[in-house]
Amino acid sequence: MNPVGSILVCDDDAAIRTVIAQALRRAGHRVVTVGTLALLRSELASGLPDVVVTDVILPDGNGLDFAATLTAEHPRLPVIVLSAQNTLTTAVRATEAGAFDYLPKPFDLDVLADTVRSALARRVGRPIDAIDGEDPGVPLIGRSPPMQEVYRVIARVVANDLTVLISGESGTGKELVARAIHDLGPRRHAPFIALNMAAIPRELIEAELFGHERGAFTGAAARVAGKFEQAAGGTLFLDEIGDMPMEAQTRLLRVLQSGEFTTVGGARTIRADVRIVAATNKDLQLQVGQGQFREDLFYRLNVVPVALPSLRERRQDIGLLARHFLDRAAENGLPRKGIDRSALMALEAYDWPGNVRELDNLMRRVAALGRDETIGADEIRSNLGKEPPATAEPDPDLAAAIHARLERMARDEPRAFEDGTLYDRIVAEVERPLIEAVLARCGNNQLRAARVLGINRNTLRKRLDTLEIDTARRTVTE
């Protein structure tokens, strides 16, 4: 049986309070709602609930600051933080405050109900040492649901030394995530050392990692410290880990198991005081099956997996990223440029095989070479070197159904046209039947359905779980 309890909800928006209360009461919980921190404090003074749910921006204060105080005084009281400020900084600050979880707005009520259920079952919530400064300035940008999930994972791991494996296509920003984990964690004052396995000759990888003694091999004229020593006290980022040769994998596994290593040609044991963050654009599980990657090393590295979405899976972030890259180009001495809506539409229509790195390069190129102060669609298309795919004519029946839905919302839910969530709500309503129809056409093969939809398999699986699409009749054929 799912646990039920008393939930105290604080949000300054009466409509949000109402829908949250209705959803949680349907789940069997007792719910009290308030709209200010003063009323929240008053309710807490009369007795502690089982879970507190609070917004960040409130009329009389900051919900994150209050959450930090509350969890310090009552470490076993779970606090769930809601926020429309959907940035990595917000996610990390919620974790710093000791929050049980952080949900970016707009959020799915079923996700909130699941989070409350988990909070009631676990009854945990320990404060984490605060990070210096209000805004660490981590260069991770995006408000899309896939990026919010990345932020939440990062926020949960920054304060510990768990090994992290970042996966994603080339150009998605894997090193930025690794740097964020380092810069926001307790090792941030020590070195961040990166090593790209694909860029090092096979015969030199062990010497690069562990260092070598004088005379260890031809040309070794002096002792040289390896990356493990250089990163002492900090973070060692092993990029393109899938390209590591098998003999080096064996030695790395020993270090992860024992926490010690020796230099090439050396006999003295050295303690490995580093956090390991690895990254790959390959399917390591497939490589394990093919005998190209050690299974035991894979599990040692994959303690906390972080799957980065491709840019085509987070198209709603393209405008934010494009403007950020133009601002950064101006800071680096290139002409300051604006970008119009037609250009943003052209960017959003493109498939971005090079992901965020390709967008960054494009924005610097148009900033340097563009003749006008405002970038338009023609300039984007000419610099992409190809026309974006043509937009299909809308199906009349689908268009009529959407118009009818909007009419009903205008009549029954007029606030939907004022709170900035209309796009996400309509997309969510279309998404479920779309995924179900594609799965049916693909014989319930998730891998093939993901390819048809143009998303990766992990994203499809997450959407199936979030939308609670029945998995009992589905089979997966690799």
Side-chain angles (χ1 to χ4, degrees):
M1 178 180 288
N2 291 326
V4 296
S6 58
I7 318 299
L8 177 54
V9 178
C10 183
D11 195 296
D12 64 332
D13 189 316
I16 291 177
R17 294 199 302 272
T18 299
V19 296
I20 289 176
Q22 290 173 344
L24 295 180
R25 284 171 182 148
R26 281 197 300 271
H29 305 298
R30 301 178 300 279
V31 183
V32 174
T33 65
V34 295
T36 65
L37 279 178
L39 290 173
L40 178 59
R41 291 189 182 96
S42 177
E43 287 292 336
L44 290 168
S46 63
L48 288 179
D50 294 311
V51 177
V52 171
V53 179
T54 181
D55 194 11
V56 172
I57 304 301
L58 295 164
D60 54 345
N62 185 288
L64 277 176
D65 295 338
F66 182 75
T69 301
L70 186 58
T71 55
E73 294 174 353
H74 306 284
R76 294 186 62 80
L77 174 62
V79 178
I80 298 168
V81 172
L82 313 176
S83 177
Q85 297 176 313
N86 305 337
T87 65
L88 174 58
T89 300
T90 308
V92 171
R93 288 195 62 211
T95 304
E96 292 172 18
F100 176 81
D101 209 342
Y102 154 76
L103 297 181
K105 292 181 178 180
F107 54 85
D108 191 306
L109 288 171
D110 290 337
V111 173
L112 175 61
D114 287 343
T115 305
V116 168
R117 184 162 57 246
S118 298
L120 287 167
R122 290 174 58 188
R123 300 295 174 98
V124 297
R126 180 177 57 83
I128 296 173
D129 292 340
I131 293 171
D132 296 336
E134 183 75 11
D135 183 2
V138 177
L140 285 172
I141 294 173
R143 296 176 179 269
S144 61
M147 285 305 294
Q148 294 303 313
E149 183 59 31
V150 171
Y151 295 163
R152 292 172 72 189
V153 175
I154 293 174
R156 289 169 177 165
V157 301
V158 291
N160 56 56
D161 270 349
L162 294 176
T163 303
V164 177
L165 179 61
I166 307 167
S167 61
E169 297 178 8
S170 293
T172 49
K174 294 186 287 294
E175 184 166 350
L176 286 179
V177 171
R179 285 188 176 275
I181 292 170
H182 172 79
D183 291 343
L184 295 170
R187 292 179 177 265
R188 60 190 175 278
H189 299 301
F192 175 91
I193 301 295
L195 180 64
N196 188 323
M197 296 297 170
I200 306 296
R202 294 175 63 90
E203 64 275 11
L204 296 181
I205 282 185
E206 289 192 51
E208 283 285 336
L209 279 171
F210 308 111
H212 62 78
E213 301 297 323
R214 179 180 179 181
F217 49 83
T218 302
R223 184 188 189 280
V224 174
K227 302 303 184 189
F228 269 92
E229 284 187 83
Q230 295 173 31
T235 301
L236 178 58
F237 174 53
L238 302 177
D239 200 6
E240 304 301 352
I241 192 73
D243 290 307
M244 179 180 250
M246 192 65 75
E247 57 273 18
Q249 291 180 32
T250 301
R251 193 158 182 195
L252 176 60
L253 177 63
R254 280 196 215 103
V255 178
L256 293 177
Q257 289 173 332
S258 68
E260 298 176 338
F261 67 95
T262 58
T263 59
V264 175
R268 181 173 62 90
T269 298
I270 302 171
R271 186 70 185 166
D273 178 20
V274 298
R275 179 183 194 160
I276 298 293
V277 178
T280 182
N281 62 4
K282 298 183 177 180
D283 186 336
L284 290 189
Q285 287 185 299
L286 178 62
Q287 286 189 288
V288 167
Q290 296 172 342
Q292 298 173 349
F293 201 87
R294 291 188 62 124
E295 184 176 25
D296 44 8
L297 178 58
F298 169 72
Y299 289 118
R300 283 280 180 176
L301 294 172
N302 197 43
V303 177
V304 180
V306 178
L308 287 189
S310 65
L311 190 53
R312 62 185 169 276
E313 294 175 281
R314 44 181 296 219
R315 293 182 190 272
Q316 69 191 80
D317 292 333
I318 289 175
L320 285 173
L321 288 162
R323 292 186 179 96
H324 168 74
F325 292 141
L326 287 175
D327 288 342
R328 193 168 68 180
E331 292 168 2
N332 292 333
L334 293 175
R336 183 167 293 279
K337 297 293 178 69
I339 185 166
D340 67 22
R341 181 58 194 156
S342 69
L344 292 176
M345 291 176 67
L347 292 174
E348 290 168 359
Y350 183 62
D351 268 347
W352 299 106
N355 291 295
V356 178
R357 184 185 298 126
E358 183 182 4
L359 176 60
D360 185 8
N361 291 336
L362 174 66
M363 290 299 98
R364 281 190 284 144
R365 186 161 63 249
V366 296
L369 304 178
R371 293 164 296 184
D372 300 323
E373 291 185 1
T374 301
I375 299 164
D378 290 343
E379 194 164 5
I380 292 297
R381 290 171 184 148
S382 64
N383 276 278
L384 284 174
K386 59 188 271 190
E387 288 289 320
T391 302
E393 286 296 319
D395 179 88
D397 293 336
L398 178 60
I402 292 175
H403 281 296
R405 177 68 180 113
L406 289 175
E407 288 296 323
R408 291 197 302 276
M409 292 177 77
R411 182 184 67 244
D412 302 331
E413 308 171 71
R415 189 175 179 79
F417 291 82
E418 302 170 1
D419 60 9
T421 65
L422 182 61
Y423 176 84
D424 289 328
R425 291 185 60 173
I426 294 298
V427 168
E429 291 182 15
V430 173
E431 185 180 24
R432 183 186 181 98
L434 171 64
I435 290 177
E436 289 178 332
V438 171
L439 275 169
R441 291 187 63 85
C442 293
N444 290 328
N445 183 308
Q446 291 182 26
L447 185 58
R448 191 155 61 240
R451 288 172 180 160
V452 170
L453 289 164
I455 60 179
N456 69 38
R457 185 175 54 188
N458 288 338
T459 299
L460 176 59
R461 286 174 174 169
K462 288 178 183 177
R463 300 312 297 156
L464 292 173
D465 291 339
T466 300
L467 297 169
E468 296 184 345
I469 295 176
D470 181 26
T471 60
R473 293 179 289 106
R474 279 197 262 111
T475 58
V476 179
T477 304
E478 302 298 339

